Amino acid sequence: MIKQKVQEEINSQIQAEFQSAYMYLGFSGWFESQNLPGFAHWMKQQWREEIDHGMKFYNHLIRRDGEIDLQNLDAPSFTIETPQEAFEQALEQERNITKRIHKLYDMAKYEDDYPLESLLLWFIDEQVEEEDQVRQILEDLKRIKNDPSGMLFLDKKLANRNSDASGE
Ligand SMILES: [Fe+2]
Ligand SMILES: [Fe+2]
């Protein structure tokens, strides 16, 4: 049986992942309004991935006979004026999620919850990848600055992103 404290933290992480998803969907809408469909596509793929992350925790809880306790989501609050700002905020969000995942891992170890520890190893690797991806795009954006042809080139590149979300 899963411990109450662990169950609460997993429910809270489900919320955090869905909250991330909501932010990326908001960014996607903003990029649509800027006529940058490739960026919008990339953000929507990221939205799917975050839903997938939330569902990984959800399914983990279900499989362990835990109780799902879904929490409120806030409207994504962001003020962005440039693509660079969107990726700066995305990086900040990913860093916060990384911190949460590491804290969860500490708790899983402390509570001797081996199944959760195992699940979290995947998330620890995933966060390294996500931060790296966002940082690379941010570096490209810094290099491009306000060059329209550079921006179009990057938009085309991001349009090709396929989701590696598994759905589980
Ligand atoms: Fe995530
Ligand atoms: Fe993420």
Side-chain angles (χ1 to χ4, degrees), residues 24-69:
Y24 282 114
L25 190 61
F27 285 154
S28 183
W30 184 81
F31 278 109
E32 295 282 2
S33 77
Q34 301 296 304
N35 287 315
L36 289 167
F39 280 92
H41 168 79
W42 191 95
M43 287 292 180
K44 209 184 278 172
Q45 295 290 69
Q46 194 60 31
W47 162 70
R48 283 208 182 91
E49 281 213 5
E50 300 303 347
I51 296 289
D52 188 57
H53 293 167
M55 290 311 292
K56 271 188 160 67
F57 284 111
Y58 177 98
N59 290 329
H60 183 82
L61 208 45
I62 296 279
R63 285 182 191 127
R64 296 183 62 196
D65 202 21
E67 250 175 65
I68 300 293
D69 180 20

Side-chain angles (χ1 to χ4, degrees), residues 17 50 53 97 127 130:
E17 299 290 348
E50 300 303 347
H53 293 167
I97 293 283
Q127 283 308 116
E130 293 220 335

